[in-house]
Amino acid sequence: MVTAGIPLPEREMQGNWVRLRTLILLRWMAIVGQLAAIIVADRWYGLQLPLGLCYLAVGASIIANLFAITLFPENKRLNEAEAFFTLLFDLAQLAFLIFVTGGLTNPFALLVLAPVTISASALRLQSTVLLGMAAILLISVAAFWNIPLRFADGRELVIPRIFEFGFWLSIVIGILFIGLYSRRVATEMRSMSQALLATQMALAREQKLTDLGGVVAAAAHELGTPLATIKLVSAELMQELADRPDLQEDARLIRDQADRCRDILRDMGRAGKDDLHLRQAPLSAALREAAEPHMSRGKRVEFSFAPTEGAPERQPTIVRRPEIIHGLRNLVQNAVDFARTTVWIEGEWTDRTVTVRIIDDGEGFPPNVIGRIGDPFVRFRRSDRESARRPGYDGMGLGLFIAKTLLERSGAELTFANATDPFLPPEDRPERCGAVVEAVWAMEDLAAPEGAALGENRRIE
C-alpha cells in the first residue's frame, strides 16, 4: 500500500546496530565487579580462592578490551558474527570464573543471563539460540565439575543438593524466559521503529507533493497573464498576416504553444496545491481527491454523502491536511485491491462528528487477525484466490499501519470490521459483504474554521 519505493532496513540485519564501544564499556563494568568480588571474598571473608586462575580470567577480559580499543575506532559497529563471538567470549570468561569459584555455590552464577539477554535484544534468533544453548551447557558443566569454595580453616562450602539443583533450574529457566521476553520486546520495538520510519517517509512524500503542487499553482497564477497576452497578440497577428501564410503559420504555432503551456501547468497542479483557497475543501471533494488515483483500476467506486438525522444539510468543509488525504488514499487502495467489483465510500456528519466509511465486496478481514489490523508488518487477506488476482503484489503489511497512524494523528478513531460473516458461501452474502473501515473525527479536529480571513499566500521554501 503505497509503500513501494520506501527503503526500509533489513529486519534481520540487527548485529550492525551494536556498537563495540558499548560492549567494551559493559565489559569494563564486569571487570570492576569481578575484581571487587574476588578481593572482598579473599580479604574480607577469608575464602581460599585460586587467585591465579581468577586473575587469569579477569586479565583475559582486560587484554581483550585493550586490544579492541587499540585495533578498532570508537564508532566501530559489530556485524552479526563479531557481536556473537564477543558475547560468546564474555560468556566463556564468566563460566570459567564460576568454575574456579565454586560453581553453583557462587551466587554470581546468575550473571550468565547477561550475554544471552544482550544477544536476544540485538542479534538474530539463530545467534541467540546458540548462545543460550552454550550458556545452559556451561552452567551445567560448572554444576558438576568445579573447584569448590573453602573457608579460611579449610572447610569446604557445601550447600544442599536440592538447593543447588533449584539454583541450576532457575538459571536455565531464566535463560529461556528472559531471552524469549527480551527478544519479543526488542522485535516489536524494531518493527514499530521501522514502520514509523515508513510512515514519516510517506507523510514527507505527501507533503512534498503538496508543496510542489503549491509551486505549480503559484506559477500558473503568475504566468496566466503573460500567456494570455501572448495568445491574444498571436491571434491578432494571424489576422494581420492573412496574406502571408508562412508568417501566419508561425503566429498560429505561438498561440498553440501558449495553450500547451497552460495545459501543462494545469496538469502538474493536480498533485495538490498549497494555495490558501485550496487548503480546505468540502468533505466530498476531499474524499474524491483521495480516491482519484484508484478510480480507474477496473473497480467501480461509488460515493454517498448525507447528514445524520437532525444534522445540518450542508456538508462540512474540512482542512486538506496531507496526512488525512494520504491516510484515506491508503484505505481506498486497500479496498480497491481486494474488492471484487465495487467499493463504497460514505461520508456522514452530525453537528459534532464526521464519519468516513469505506466498504468493499471482497473476502473481508480474516477473523484471526482482525484484532491486530493496523499493527506493522501484519499481512492478511492473502488467499490463493487473491494471489491469483494480484500476482504482482508483495506487500509488507505497512499500508494499513501508515493509514491508521496518519489518520489517528489527525484525531480520527478507526475501527475495522467485516460487513458479513466471511465464512458464508458467496450466494448467501449481501452486496456489501467485504471489509468495513470506519474513521470518526470530532468536528473541531477536522472542520476548517468558518468566517476567518485566509490571509496572504506564503512562498514555499
Side-chain angles (χ1 to χ4, degrees), residues 209-219 272-275 460:
L209 288 175
T210 301
D211 292 345
L212 178 61
V215 173
V216 173
K273 302 175 179 62
D274 196 39
D275 191 288
I460 299 176

Side-chain angles (χ1 to χ4, degrees), residues 153-221:
D153 57 3
R155 289 183 299 111
E156 182 179 331
L157 176 61
V158 179
I159 61 175
R161 299 294 296 178
I162 186 66
F163 182 81
E164 189 174 3
F165 172 76
F167 192 26
W168 172 85
L169 186 61
S170 68
I171 293 176
V172 172
I173 294 176
I175 290 173
L176 298 175
F177 176 76
I178 295 180
L180 179 63
Y181 184 86
S182 300
R183 173 147 190 100
R184 179 71 177 177
V185 172
T187 301
E188 290 184 358
M189 290 177 63
R190 281 192 291 267
S191 297
M192 184 62 68
S193 175
Q194 293 178 14
L196 288 175
L197 174 62
T199 303
Q200 293 170 358
M201 295 174 70
L203 181 57
R205 178 179 178 273
E206 190 72 20
Q207 185 65 57
K208 287 181 179 179
L209 288 175
T210 301
D211 292 345
L212 178 61
V215 173
V216 173
H221 177 74

